[in-house]
Amino acid sequence: MKQSSDKKQRTRVRYSMLALVFVNVAINYLDRTNISVAATEMGKDLNLSTVELGYIFSAFGWAYAALQIPGGLIADRFGPRVLYAFCLITWSIATLAQAFIRGFGALFSLRLATGTFEAPSYPINNRVVTSWFPDHERASAIALYVSGQFIGLAFLTPVLVTIQYYAGWKGLFITTGLVGLVWGVVWYLFYRDPLDHPRVNQAELDYIEEGGGLFRGKKPGAPQVNIWKWENLRQVISRRTLWGVYIGQFAVNATLWFFLTWFPTYLVKYRGLDFIKSGYLASVPFLAACAGLLLSGFLSDKLVQQGKSVGMARKTPIIIGLLLSVSIIGANYTNDTALIIFFLALAFFGSGMALISWVFVSILSPKHLIGLTGGVFNFMGNLASIVVPIAIGYLAKDGNFAPALVFIGTLGFIGACSYIFLVGKVERGSTPDEAKEDQLIFEKDQ
């Protein structure tokens, strides 16, 4: 009877924390993709070639990918409240400064800075969700916060296009930079970890912890885990299962980074669409990706709740999604605008389904190395943010975009094969220190 009473009285603070992360993600992607909207006019003003634009698009990824492992370690070391506020404010300053550049070198450097300060963001997101949500709600929570990138871009891309139309590409960078600065302060004022939040009650804390949420840290007297040891890095780069999700994430991000960089240019320059019209049509694939992501997250959690194996419930939507992303190649075989958008939207719908892949970080990582595992996972995936924009710049330099779409579709197929053949039994890894801790707990219980 008491359990039923506690359930009725349980607070739902975790959803308000998730809402804050959702906005963080929307702003994060706003500042990654504003340059894709600005690219056509900015490229003319700065006399940038197609290949140079490819390098500019990739600059964010060079720093972002390189700093994922340090970013993951930092996320394990520092609390989300202060660290995320710092990241939001610093990357927003770098965004705002892009309005005042005069050439390739300065723009490339500021895109590097944006990637540098955004690097810890997704490891922090994963840490927040792992702390605030039980295992059986985690895929849905991840789907909801990741959907921020698609919902934000779907509804804000027409706004960004309109801002640039009236205020120019410089006004676009100023506006998006100021939004991030303000939100950094809002995050710091309202976010708290579960044990520090004044509105969370014991019933909700018990519900989270009994469901596998990790917010209490190590038990008193347990051996200390040194996250900076090379042994820990070896733990998260030596397992075949993790390599399966790393390769899969590269494939997922290949499709994502086409849409975050070259997509508006593809519509305007290579398909001849009006700039304002392209802004509205660009919303359709982002909405499709959001639908795929939400469908995948809730379906995956539903399968877990029905007693299906974790491997089946988590992997199946991702594999289906990656196979659907291959449909992007279909856009090469039509000149009808509606069909072009259909194929692109279907591919991005599939990519969205596969983006619940972050749930594998929570499932497979040693419990005290979630940030490090998330950093390695995001590093591997975000190598696509370097490779794909540059590769497309070279593949499309002669005015033919078809090979670029074949390239992206092929990577999606490789990602599906990775989940089918490399990702085996789904179970959490453990460090030697954690194994020792578990043994001590077992002996004490005996």
Side-chain angles (χ1 to χ4, degrees), residues 167-211:
W169 60 267
K170 295 184 178 182
L172 178 63
F173 284 117
I174 291 172
T175 302
T176 51
L178 289 175
V179 168
L181 285 173
V182 172
W183 184 254
V185 176
V186 173
W187 167 266
Y188 181 80
L189 291 176
F190 288 98
Y191 178 79
R192 297 292 187 279
D193 286 329
L195 292 176
D196 299 326
H197 203 288
R199 292 194 295 109
V200 67
N201 67 8
Q202 189 60 45
E204 184 174 14
L205 291 175
D206 291 343
Y207 173 75
I208 295 168
E209 188 169 32
E210 289 166 7

Side-chain angles (χ1 to χ4, degrees), residues 18 21 25 75-76 80 84 120-133 138-139 141-142 145-146 191 214 356-367 369-375 377-378 428:
L18 185 64
V21 175
V25 171
D76 279 330
Y84 225 142
S121 56
Y122 263 71
I124 301 172
N125 293 341
N126 196 60
R127 176 173 169 177
V128 170
V129 170
T130 303
S131 298
W132 272 103
F133 285 85
R138 204 163 291 153
I142 290 171
Y145 83 68
V146 175
Y191 178 79
L214 304 175
I356 66 161
S357 50
W358 265 99
V359 75
F360 281 100
V361 176
S362 300
I363 296 172
L364 298 174
S365 68
K367 61 185 177 181
L369 297 178
I370 291 173
L372 176 59
T373 308
F377 173 82
N378 221 17
R428 186 181 300 281

Side-chain angles (χ1 to χ4, degrees), residues 100-165:
F100 305 100
I101 53 91
R102 296 184 179 180
F104 175 89
L107 181 57
F108 190 89
S109 298
L110 285 171
R111 294 304 295 175
L112 284 174
T114 307
T116 297
F117 294 120
E118 285 197 21
S121 56
Y122 263 71
I124 301 172
N125 293 341
N126 196 60
R127 176 173 169 177
V128 170
V129 170
T130 303
S131 298
W132 272 103
F133 285 85
D135 289 338
H136 64 275
E137 292 183 357
R138 204 163 291 153
S140 300
I142 290 171
L144 284 168
Y145 83 68
V146 175
S147 71
Q149 68 195 51
F150 301 125
I151 293 175
L153 292 176
F155 290 102
L156 291 176
T157 296
V159 175
L160 295 180
V161 168
T162 303
I163 290 172
Q164 177 169 317
Y165 183 78

Side-chain angles (χ1 to χ4, degrees), residues 37-276:
V37 174
T40 303
E41 291 303 315
M42 183 180 64
K44 291 178 183 177
D45 288 350
L46 301 179
N47 296 315
L48 300 175
S49 68
T50 300
V51 171
E52 285 176 322
L53 269 179
Y55 279 101
I56 290 295
F57 286 149
S58 77
F60 174 95
W62 287 95
Y64 187 80
L67 293 173
Q68 281 309 295
I69 295 174
L73 290 168
I74 291 169
D76 279 330
R77 174 66 179 82
F78 297 100
R81 184 188 180 203
V82 173
L83 182 58
Y84 225 142
F86 172 81
C87 291
L88 275 159
I89 290 170
T90 49
W91 92 54
S92 297
I93 291 171
T95 297
L96 195 152
Q98 289 167 54
F100 305 100
I101 53 91
R102 296 184 179 180
F104 175 89
L107 181 57
F108 190 89
S109 298
L110 285 171
R111 294 304 295 175
L112 284 174
T114 307
T116 297
F117 294 120
E118 285 197 21
S121 56
Y122 263 71
I124 301 172
N125 293 341
N126 196 60
R127 176 173 169 177
V128 170
V129 170
T130 303
S131 298
W132 272 103
F133 285 85
D135 289 338
H136 64 275
E137 292 183 357
R138 204 163 291 153
S140 300
I142 290 171
L144 284 168
Y145 83 68
V146 175
S147 71
Q149 68 195 51
F150 301 125
I151 293 175
L153 292 176
F155 290 102
L156 291 176
T157 296
V159 175
L160 295 180
V161 168
T162 303
I163 290 172
Q164 177 169 317
Y165 183 78
Y166 288 104
W169 60 267
K170 295 184 178 182
L172 178 63
F173 284 117
I174 291 172
T175 302
T176 51
L178 289 175
V179 168
L181 285 173
V182 172
W183 184 254
V185 176
V186 173
W187 167 266
Y188 181 80
L189 291 176
F190 288 98
Y191 178 79
R192 297 292 187 279
D193 286 329
L195 292 176
D196 299 326
H197 203 288
R199 292 194 295 109
V200 67
N201 67 8
Q202 189 60 45
E204 184 174 14
L205 291 175
D206 291 343
Y207 173 75
I208 295 168
E209 188 169 32
E210 289 166 7
L214 304 175
F215 59 79
R216 291 192 183 276
K218 295 179 63 61
K219 297 180 181 297
Q224 293 296 310
V225 176
N226 179 9
I227 63 172
W228 302 92
K229 294 195 305 185
W230 282 107
E231 171 64 22
N232 292 333
L233 181 59
R234 190 190 68 80
Q235 285 282 324
V236 300
I237 62 173
S238 62
R239 294 178 59 198
R240 188 192 73 173
T241 297
L242 284 171
W243 270 102
V245 298
Y246 295 157
I247 294 169
Q249 191 66 3
F250 180 93
V252 173
N253 279 358
T255 304
L256 175 65
W257 277 93
F258 160 70
F259 282 96
L260 295 183
T261 55
W262 281 103
F263 179 42
T265 302
Y266 169 69
L267 293 181
V268 174
K269 183 176 179 180
Y270 294 90
R271 289 299 188 172
L273 297 185
D274 172 78
F275 180 67
I276 292 291

Side-chain angles (χ1 to χ4, degrees), residues 333-403:
Y333 298 96
T334 180
N335 290 318
D336 183 87
T337 299
L339 284 176
I340 291 169
I341 296 299
F342 168 76
F343 283 118
L344 295 177
L346 181 61
F348 214 11
F349 174 86
S351 181
M353 286 187 69
L355 273 171
I356 66 161
S357 50
W358 265 99
V359 75
F360 281 100
V361 176
S362 300
I363 296 172
L364 298 174
S365 68
K367 61 185 177 181
H368 294 302
L369 297 178
I370 291 173
L372 176 59
T373 308
V376 174
F377 173 82
N378 221 17
F379 166 75
M380 298 295 185
N382 276 283
L383 289 176
S385 67
I386 301 170
V387 173
V388 170
I390 294 175
I392 291 175
Y394 281 102
L395 290 170
K397 68 178 181 178
D398 295 326
N400 181 9
F401 214 89

